């Protein structure tokens, strides 16, 4: 599988090999993400112009694009140099003008002689009650009518690329599509009524009417499925590779877990119990576990993860819990300490802060197996860290840890099982796109005793009232987060916004009461500001969104989010989950800049109505689309050119089960359909997958 198959060479050649494309044009194409002719195949028209011949202009609602047969009448040359050259024409029911600028000599006299018949097509507008077609797109003799497309596709453009050029380039590329063997399951294909690849791609570029442009049109749906199938094959190959990796059976006897459960003030929820047993079952098998533990804010993921870590210890091994930042690692340590004491296991932390002798003694204890559970940042993956017998790695906060990092973690070749925790409720279709290689456990119940959070919408012009309420709450000993908006994209302006808010609150509430955290601070200062707030030394923490992940301050019971309409719903839900962790009733104030748009209001009202992260995430996806969901570019959710994750979630599910089944039947992809699937992977630029097969 070393090199790209020969039939694909023409599609992956330089763009300059297409007629009419030079180096300059190739650079313009790159702006649209088009690097090779292959990318033009998947750059589909988004609308079309109906150029069917009409009897007359008479009944058209102008402005409109119209195609009619006309008799050419008198010409009127412009009176002054830059003026308009006008030709009077008549169709079967009315008269109008063709208008040209920069007319040279008698050019139009020769092209459109008076008395001749022509078919003209172009945009017609009314000027001074006279219908005018300025620079017709087409003006041909009646016998050449077939030069005018009946429905002309309209492509996405960028500067330097015209519709004409796009049309020519896509046609030249379509001519290069080789015959492919079918990679889609035959029964799936016939049941959906999908055409072959070559037919589908030709039809998608040559729509006959508006409905051919919809995502549900068979040719488009087929191409979307091809994209999703290639992506799911990549994930399925990664999953199969992980499955083939020998793991180690870690069978816990439950004695340590029993001690912790007995000491808990409440019973675990049904969802927690189910997740604990799914994980235990995976750990007990001889294959490596690769499982995602997905749960909403406060669904009790930590307890489930700790039970899994204890199972690793019961089986005679060690466990590690990795957090994205030092603050979160320390917080996990605080949260797990009492549980570790109940179980009687040795729990330690390792971060970039550990230096010198202290670090050396920790490393020695790890290697001997004296430290049973280690909490740490990615520092635990440095070369000099070795475990006596690592059985389980738990990775917290997945979205900073995309598919690629997971593939790398797998390459470390350690036999450890992997459990990934995420507090971001992800809609089903995105979860499949991002985590299709993993098995998923979902915590969809809240543990008892979590108080609901009151959410209110307040317009920015009531900021003084809000500050007044804050002061009262602080007097009662409560703490508050104040989240500043993300201004545009630049971090400098974020900083200015946060700084201004910090100064205003400090002026009103008093020195030493207000702390500040933003993305531009050195990590040590950030940690110090967070710790002061955790200890209750500062009462208000002004922050940009750095606080969204995992920070736990039980005494904080008010969350103010400024310009809430500029955040994603899922992000607002995450931020809100930072309060409501203690005994006091908590409030979240969503401050918006009036006037809100209708959709802006609907989005914020969803938050007021529900605390269910999954409902919120689905709504977010429906209202904003995958493109804007928080950080999709970094989070490993792939970008598809044809497939639409919101509307085609069902296709993604079919692609996942089909890809897994194909690999189960033909792990090496050597059957006729397997070979076709390899071709699909090359066509879809799935290089990761191709490496997985060749290394496999």
């Amino acid at each position: 599988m070393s090199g790209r198959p020969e039939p694909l060479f023409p599609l992956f050649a330089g763009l300059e090999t297409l007629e009419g494309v030079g180096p300059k044009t190739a650079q313009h194409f790159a702006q649209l993400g088009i690097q090779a002719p292959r990318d033009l195949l998947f750059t589909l028209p988004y609308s079309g112009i109906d150029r069917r011949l009409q009897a007359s202009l008479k009944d058209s609602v102008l402005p409109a694009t119209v195609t009619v047969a006309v008799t050419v009448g008198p010409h009127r040359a412009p009176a002054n140099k830059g003026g308009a050259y006008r030709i009077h024409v008549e169709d079967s029911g009315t008269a109008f003008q063709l208008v040209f600028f920069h007319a040279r000599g008698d050019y139009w006299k020769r092209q459109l002689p008076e008395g001749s018949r022509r078919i003209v097509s172009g945009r017609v507008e009314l000027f001074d009650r006279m219908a005018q077609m300025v620079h017709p797109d087409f003006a041909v003799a009646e016998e050449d009518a077939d030069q005018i497309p009946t429905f002309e596709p309209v492509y996405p453009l960028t500067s330097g690329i015209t519709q004409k050029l796009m049309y020519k380039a896509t046609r030249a590329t379509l001519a290069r599509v080789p015959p492919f063997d079918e990679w889609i399951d035959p029964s799936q294909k016939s049941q959906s009524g999908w055409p072959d690849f070559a037919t589908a791609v030709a039809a998608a570029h040559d729509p006959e009417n508006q409905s051919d442009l919809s995502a549900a049109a068979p040719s488009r749906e087929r191409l979307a499925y091809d994209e999703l199938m290639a992506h799911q094959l990549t994930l399925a190959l990664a999953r199969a590779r992980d499955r083939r990796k020998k793991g180690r059976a870690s069978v816990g006897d439950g004695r340590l877990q029993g001690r912790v459960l007995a000491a808990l003030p409440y019973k675990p929820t049904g969802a927690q119990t189910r997740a604990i047993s799914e994980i235990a079952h995976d750990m007990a098998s001889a294959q490596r576990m690769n499982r995602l533990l997905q749960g909403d804010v406060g669904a009790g993921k930590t307890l489930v993860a700790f039970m899994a870590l204890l199972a690793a210890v019961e089986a005679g091994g060690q466990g590690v819990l990795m957090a994205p930042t030092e603050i979160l690692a320390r917080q996990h340590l605080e949260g797990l300490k009492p549980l570790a004491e109940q179980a009687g296991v040795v729990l330690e932390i390792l971060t970039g802060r550990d230096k010198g002798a202290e670090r050396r003694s920790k490393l020695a204890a790890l290697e001997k197996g004296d430290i049973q559970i280690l909490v740490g940042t990615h520092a635990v993956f440095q070369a000099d860290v070795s475990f006596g017998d690592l059985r389980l790695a738990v990775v917290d906060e997945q979205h900073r840890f995309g598919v690629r990092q997971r593939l790398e973690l797998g390459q470390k070749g350690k036999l450890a099982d992997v459990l990934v925790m995420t507090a971001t409720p992800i809609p089903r279709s995105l979860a499949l796109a991002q985590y299709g290689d993993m098995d998923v456990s979902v915590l969809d119940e809240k543990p008892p005793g979590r108080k609901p959070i009151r959410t209110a919408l307040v317009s920015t012009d009531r900021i003084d009232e809000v500050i007044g309420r804050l002061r009262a709450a602080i007097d009662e000993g409560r703490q508050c987060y104040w989240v500043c908006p993300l201004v545009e994209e630049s971090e400098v302006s974020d900083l200015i916004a946060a700084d201004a808010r910090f100064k205003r609150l400090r002026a009103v509430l008093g020195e030493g009461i207000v702390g500040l955290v933003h993305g531009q601070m050195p990590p040590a200062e950030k940690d110090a500001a967070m710790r002061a707030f955790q200890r209750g030394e500062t009462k208000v923490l002004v922050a940009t969104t750095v606080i969204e992940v995992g920070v736990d301050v039980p005494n904080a019971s008010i969350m103010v989010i400024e310009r809430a309409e500029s955040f994603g719903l899922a992000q607002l839900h995450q931020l809100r989950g930072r309060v409501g962790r203690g005994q006091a009733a908590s409030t979240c104030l969503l401050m918006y800049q009036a006037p809100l748009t209708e959709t802006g209001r609907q989005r914020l009202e969803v938050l007021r109505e529900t605390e269910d992260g999954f409902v919120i995430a689905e709504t977010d996806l429906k209202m904003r689309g995958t493109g804007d969901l928080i950080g999709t570019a970094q989070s490993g959710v792939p970008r598809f050119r044809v497939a639409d994750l919101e509307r085609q979630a069902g296709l993604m599910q079919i692609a996942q089960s089909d890809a897994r089944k194909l690999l189960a039947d033909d792990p090496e992809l050597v059957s006729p359909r397997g070979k076709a699937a390899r071709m699909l992977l090359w066509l879809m630029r799935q290089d990761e997958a191709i490496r997985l097969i060749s290394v496999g």
Side-chain angles (χ1 to χ4, degrees):
M1 189 93 191
S2 52
R4 182 179 290 125
E6 200 159 325
L8 291 177
F9 287 178
L11 288 175
F12 283 86
L15 283 171
E16 292 96 283
T17 59
L18 294 172
E19 195 196 336
V21 178
K24 188 98 184 163
T25 312
Q27 285 178 337
H28 291 311
F29 270 126
Q31 299 290 304
L32 289 167
I34 296 169
Q35 311 286 341
R38 172 257 174 232
D39 303 320
L40 283 161
L41 290 180
F42 299 96
T43 306
L44 298 184
Y46 63 89
S47 77
I49 301 168
D50 189 345
R51 293 196 189 272
R52 275 174 304 195
L53 191 59
Q54 294 173 13
S56 167
L57 195 61
K58 184 166 91 232
D59 307 321
S60 302
V61 181
L62 302 183
T65 297
V66 185
T67 307
V68 286
V70 297
T71 304
V72 180
H75 291 228
R76 214 171 69 229
N80 52 5
K81 200 170 178 280
Y85 185 101
R86 297 170 190 276
I87 304 175
H88 182 85
V89 296
E90 291 183 15
D91 65 24
S92 63
T94 183
F96 59 100
Q97 289 180 343
L98 303 182
V99 180
F100 299 92
F101 293 97
H102 316 298
R104 298 228 172 84
D106 59 356
Y107 178 79
W108 290 114
K109 276 260 183 346
R110 294 200 308 277
Q111 292 295 312
L112 302 171
E114 192 166 337
S116 62
R117 294 279 294 165
R118 290 287 187 271
I119 294 179
V120 292
S121 182
R123 192 167 168 79
V124 180
E125 306 197 16
L126 279 176
F127 288 102
D128 295 337
R129 293 210 295 282
M130 183 61 180
Q132 299 187 346
M133 186 185 284
V134 179
H135 287 276
D137 301 316
F138 296 90
V140 301
E142 286 183 294
E143 59 269 23
D144 296 328
D146 57 355
Q147 289 181 13
I148 301 177
T150 49
F151 189 78
E152 187 184 9
V154 177
Y155 287 94
L157 301 177
T158 181
S159 66
I161 305 279
T162 61
Q163 286 298 343
K164 263 203 175 74
L165 181 65
M166 201 66 167
Y167 189 84
K168 242 176 89 169
T170 48
R171 292 314 165 274
T173 302
L174 287 168
R176 295 183 175 195
V177 174
F180 288 121
D181 291 331
E182 187 53 79
W183 47 72
I184 294 179
D185 176 64
S187 60
Q188 172 63 41
K189 188 181 164 194
S190 63
Q191 190 191 333
S192 307
W194 290 335
D196 291 338
F197 180 82
T199 314
V201 75
H205 282 278
D206 196 10
E208 287 174 18
N209 51 43
Q210 224 39 55
S211 71
D212 285 351
L213 295 163
S214 91
S219 57
R220 288 210 171 206
E221 197 175 73
R222 144 106 218 204
L223 295 175
Y225 186 76
D226 289 336
E227 272 194 308
L228 299 176
M229 175 76 183
H231 174 68
Q232 284 300 331
L233 258 176
T234 303
L235 292 175
L237 281 161
R239 178 171 182 261
R241 185 202 63 180
D242 281 345
R243 297 243 141 154
R244 283 202 302 274
K245 281 220 170 115
K246 276 278 165 273
R248 307 184 44 203
S250 297
V251 184
D253 57 12
R255 63 198 154 83
L256 303 176
Q257 299 176 59
R259 288 182 202 163
V260 173
L261 291 173
L264 286 179
Y266 57 86
K267 260 173 65 92
T269 63
Q272 283 177 312
T273 309
R274 192 174 62 237
I276 291 170
S277 80
E278 286 168 350
I279 292 164
H281 177 268
D282 277 6
M283 288 176 69
S285 95
Q287 285 145 344
R288 273 186 65 175
M289 168 167 78
N290 188 15
R291 188 171 276 280
L292 176 70
L293 176 62
Q294 193 184 0
D296 206 347
V297 180
K301 288 181 296 296
T302 318
L303 177 69
V304 173
F306 192 66
M307 289 297 156
L309 290 163
L310 289 178
V313 176
E314 290 168 357
Q318 294 164 296
V320 61
L321 170 59
M322 278 174 59
T325 63
E326 176 144 347
I327 279 200
L328 287 171
R330 294 201 175 279
Q331 192 168 289
H332 276 306
L333 183 74
E334 300 300 307
L336 295 178
K337 253 192 200 142
L339 299 178
E341 279 162 13
Q342 290 298 334
V345 296
V346 181
L347 177 75
E348 252 307 347
I349 186 166
L350 182 69
T351 68
R353 266 202 208 159
D354 293 304
K355 299 274 190 293
E358 192 184 352
R359 181 179 165 93
R360 280 197 299 278
S361 73
K362 278 187 188 176
L363 294 183
L366 256 186
E367 203 163 352
K368 287 220 314 260
D370 294 347
I371 295 174
Q372 292 162 297
I373 297 178
L374 182 68
V375 176
T377 53
H378 51 241
V380 303
F381 271 130
Q382 282 159 353
D384 61 347
V385 181
S386 54
F387 290 81
D389 179 9
L390 179 63
R391 297 288 185 109
L392 172 69
V394 180
V395 183
D396 184 17
E397 270 318 320
Q398 172 69 21
H399 59 245
R400 302 209 156 57
F401 198 77
V403 174
R404 180 160 300 125
Q405 283 88 341
R406 278 212 303 284
L407 291 174
E408 282 167 10
L409 181 65
Q411 277 151 11
K412 286 216 171 284
K414 300 218 173 96
L415 296 174
D417 288 321
V418 178
L419 178 68
V420 173
M421 298 198 289
T422 173
T424 319
I426 307 162
R428 181 93 185 108
S429 56
L430 280 186
L432 284 172
Q434 204 171 345
Y435 307 120
D437 57 326
M438 306 182 81
D439 301 299
V440 182
S441 296
V442 179
L443 298 181
D444 47 14
E445 304 168 48
K446 283 230 159 105
R450 296 278 309 219
K451 292 198 171 63
I453 300 168
R454 207 182 126 253
T455 301
L457 309 185
V458 198
S459 118
T460 341
D461 46 28
R462 292 171 53 197
I463 188 164
D464 291 332
E465 278 177 59
V466 172
I467 296 175
R469 282 177 63 179
L470 271 196
R471 183 185 267 144
I474 291 168
D475 291 344
E476 288 169 18
R478 314 256 289 280
Q479 284 173 279
C480 157
Y481 292 103
W482 188 297
V483 178
C484 292
L486 286 165
V487 191
E488 269 76 63
E489 282 306 299
S490 98
E491 296 186 322
V492 183
S493 41
D494 284 352
L495 173 64
I496 296 168
D499 213 46
R501 180 60 61 235
F502 168 67
K503 292 190 169 123
R504 174 161 177 193
L505 289 173
R506 192 178 56 185
V508 179
L509 300 171
E511 287 286 334
I513 299 256
V514 187
L516 172 66
V517 181
H518 58 75
Q520 300 305 90
M521 283 176 151
E525 277 181 45
K526 217 187 281 185
D527 283 1
M530 297 289 281
R531 273 203 306 278
F533 186 65
Q534 274 171 325
R535 293 195 195 111
E537 292 156 20
T538 52
K539 302 298 180 196
V540 178
L541 185 63
V542 175
T544 53
T545 49
V546 289
I547 60 161
E548 80 187 275
V549 186
V551 180
D552 200 354
V553 181
N555 188 41
S557 58
I558 299 175
M559 167 67 71
V560 179
I561 303 173
E562 243 184 293
R563 295 300 298 270
E565 76 277 8
S566 69
F567 291 95
L569 282 183
Q571 206 179 11
L572 290 169
H573 175 65
Q574 285 293 318
L575 287 166
R576 171 171 66 182
R578 298 296 112 221
V579 295
R581 293 172 166 251
Q583 296 312 301
S586 294
T587 310
C588 174
L589 297 177
L590 302 173
M591 288 176 77
Y592 61 88
Q593 180 92 44
L596 266 182
T597 60
E598 191 41 47
T599 53
R601 175 168 298 284
Q602 281 172 354
R603 285 182 47 222
L604 295 181
E605 281 174 353
V606 171
L607 283 157
R608 193 167 62 190
E609 300 311 312
T610 178
E611 278 195 62
D612 181 330
F614 288 93
V615 173
I616 289 167
E618 289 288 355
T619 311
D620 202 13
L621 187 58
K622 275 199 197 73
M623 296 188 78
R624 290 185 349 143
T626 40
D628 312 313
L629 276 172
I630 181 67
T632 45
Q634 303 87 51
S635 65
V637 176
R639 300 236 173 230
F640 296 112
R641 281 191 107 96
V642 182
D644 174 335
L645 282 184
E646 301 95 279
R647 296 186 188 79
Q648 298 180 312
L651 277 186
M652 179 68 103
Q653 236 152 330
I654 299 167
Q656 185 191 49
S657 61
D658 194 14
R660 287 186 174 187
K661 183 178 179 316
L662 174 60
L663 279 180
D665 299 345
D666 177 13
E668 302 299 321
L669 295 181
V670 288
S671 66
R673 190 179 160 214
K675 289 187 174 132
R678 288 174 175 240
M679 187 66 87
L680 168 70
L681 291 170
W682 279 112
L683 176 66
M684 293 300 183
R685 300 185 182 277
Q686 293 289 334
D687 303 3
E688 300 260 323
I690 288 153
R691 272 206 300 284
L692 284 169
I693 298 175
S694 43
V695 177

